[in-house]
Amino acid sequence: MIKIRIPATTANMGPGFDSFGMALKFYNEIWIEEIKQGIQVIQEGKPSEIPLEDNLIYTSLVKILNKYGYDYHGFKIEVKECNIPISRGLGSSAACIVAGITAANALMGNVLSTDDIIREAVEIEGHPDNIVPAVIGGMVVSLMDEDKVIYSKVNIPNDLRMFVMIPNFKLSTEEARHVLPPNYSNGDCIFNISRAAMFVNAMNNGELDKLRVSTQDRIHQNYRINLISDAEKIFEGAREYGSLAEFISGSGSTLMALVDKNNKGFEKKMTSFLNKLQDKWEVHLLEADVEGTTIL
Ligand code: HSE
């Protein structure tokens, strides 16, 4: 039996579209066992209703086993804990892919390196921003150099907390990518390059006062904000209660506020603000996960 814990991830983080990501202390736990025959998928105690071909844990697991020539008969895949909600911009698909590949690697006797796991996972997911922090933890800048994934860790200031606001409505990444323009102006490119670079440097130096300006973005958030009801209002509320910066988590629908841990009243005030809105918002004040995927 292989027991795997995978963190949620927030991607983009404002200006770092398809590049920045951070793992959060908010986890799925998946148990995978090789059995004599058949495939059983158990989701929190009950047989899963998701067709097997759409189950990213299963498809990623068998893709890797087939690729590396591992002979198998059957599997029992048990989703023991499923905290990361689907289609909310918290890396649920990355978590499934990484779980499947990590299990395959364990079954094969750990023949894959961390970089192999990342490369295989990014090939399935299509972009590295959730995958890399899900595998190695922390905040990571990632890029594709042709088919190679290059990544570098960013320091996370000790006092920084992530206030995660998850609505009860989904937003598919496909839909949220569809609203993006095919081209950007020179001005928008300069705007984002300067802020993305500043954000990384501010994080590394612990310059919390620069997070607000450096999380501004003109590549994706303007186009997506209207897909998330009350997002503008929520960002304004967070600012009023003293958050350091706000952004859409991944492609949404989750929203994120970066908060100084010494801002004691924030969680209570923001929770009561969100409770007055029409949609239901679940909130978590989280620290960054620095371990990434672990075999328990
Ligand atoms: N960088 C991706 C996007 C994250 O914003 O579309 C979604 O997984």
Side-chain angles (χ1 to χ4, degrees):
M1 169 88 74
I2 303 153
K3 300 180 179 179
I4 305 165
R5 192 185 74 169
I6 321 100
T9 44
T10 182
N12 299 330
M13 306 184 77
F17 184 71
D18 276 2
S19 173
F20 297 176
M22 184 195 279
L24 301 168
K25 286 191 174 173
F26 193 56
Y27 302 99
N28 280 1
E29 189 178 317
I30 293 159
W31 295 6
I32 298 181
E33 189 182 3
E34 207 173 347
I35 55 176
K36 290 226 168 68
Q37 65 175 45
I39 309 293
Q40 298 172 26
V41 183
I42 313 288
Q43 178 90 24
E44 290 170 317
K46 287 179 280 180
S48 165
E49 285 164 11
I50 302 170
L52 216 45
E53 66 273 18
D54 295 335
N55 183 313
L56 275 172
I57 306 170
Y58 170 73
T59 54
S60 306
L61 169 73
V62 296
K63 179 177 185 239
I64 298 303
L65 295 178
N66 290 336
K67 181 168 174 177
Y68 290 85
Y70 181 90
D71 215 9
Y72 55 88
H73 302 284
F75 292 106
K76 182 175 175 193
I77 299 172
E78 211 172 333
V79 181
K80 272 295 194 194
E81 267 198 47
C82 191
N83 291 307
I84 312 172
I86 295 170
S87 293
R88 303 297 210 292
L90 285 168
S92 67
S93 60
C96 291
I97 295 166
V98 169
I101 297 177
T102 304
N105 189 36
L107 288 168
M108 298 187 302
N110 297 313
V111 293
L112 303 180
S113 67
T114 301
D115 280 4
D116 293 333
I117 293 173
I118 287 173
R119 194 192 59 248
E120 297 289 359
V122 171
E123 197 180 301
I124 299 171
E125 171 94 329
H127 34 84
D129 46 346
N130 292 104
I131 295 287
V132 184
V135 175
I136 65 169
M139 178 177 167
V140 193
V141 179
S142 310
L143 61 85
M144 300 301 298
D145 181 27
E146 305 200 335
D147 59 354
K148 245 172 106 186
V149 188
I150 314 287
Y151 56 88
S152 180
K153 273 210 178 187
V154 178
N155 292 335
I156 301 171
N158 281 338
D159 285 348
L160 203 62
R161 296 289 177 273
M162 278 51 71
F163 191 72
V164 183
M165 299 170 270
I166 311 170
N168 59 353
F169 54 86
K170 295 182 180 178
L171 178 54
S172 81
T173 300
E174 201 189 341
E175 184 189 348
R177 286 180 94 82
H178 196 70
V179 297
L180 304 182
N183 298 299
Y184 294 94
S185 70
N186 190 38
D188 285 351
C189 294
I190 295 167
F191 185 96
N192 263 68
I193 292 164
S194 54
R195 277 147 184 87
M198 179 69 76
F199 183 39
V200 170
N201 218 48
M203 290 291 278
N204 279 332
N205 291 339
E207 296 168 314
L208 299 184
D209 58 316
K210 298 202 175 88
L211 296 185
R212 171 153 310 286
V213 71
S214 66
T215 48
Q216 292 172 336
D217 161 69
R218 285 196 192 157
I219 297 292
H220 72 110
Q221 298 201 139
N222 293 350
Y223 306 97
R224 289 171 162 175
I225 198 104
N226 293 329
L227 302 174
I228 305 169
S229 52
D230 291 324
E232 293 274 21
K233 208 197 256 186
I234 293 168
F235 283 166
E236 271 168 38
R239 261 198 304 277
E240 192 180 320
Y241 300 137
S243 77
L244 300 164
E246 310 80 31
F247 49 81
I248 298 174
S249 181
S251 57
S253 52
T254 293
L255 303 176
M256 195 73 65
L258 302 182
V259 184
D260 190 317
K261 86 164 189 224
N262 301 310
N263 181 345
K264 296 290 181 208
F266 185 85
E267 184 173 10
K268 207 168 155 204
K269 286 187 212 149
M270 205 56 214
T271 306
S272 112
F273 178 96
L274 291 165
N275 283 342
K276 291 190 197 107
L277 300 177
Q278 204 174 357
D279 297 295
K280 267 206 161 346
W281 291 79
E282 176 190 323
V283 297
H284 301 275
L285 187 60
L286 301 175
E287 288 179 42
D289 162 275
V290 292
E291 288 177 72
T293 295
T294 47
I295 298 204
L296 303 169

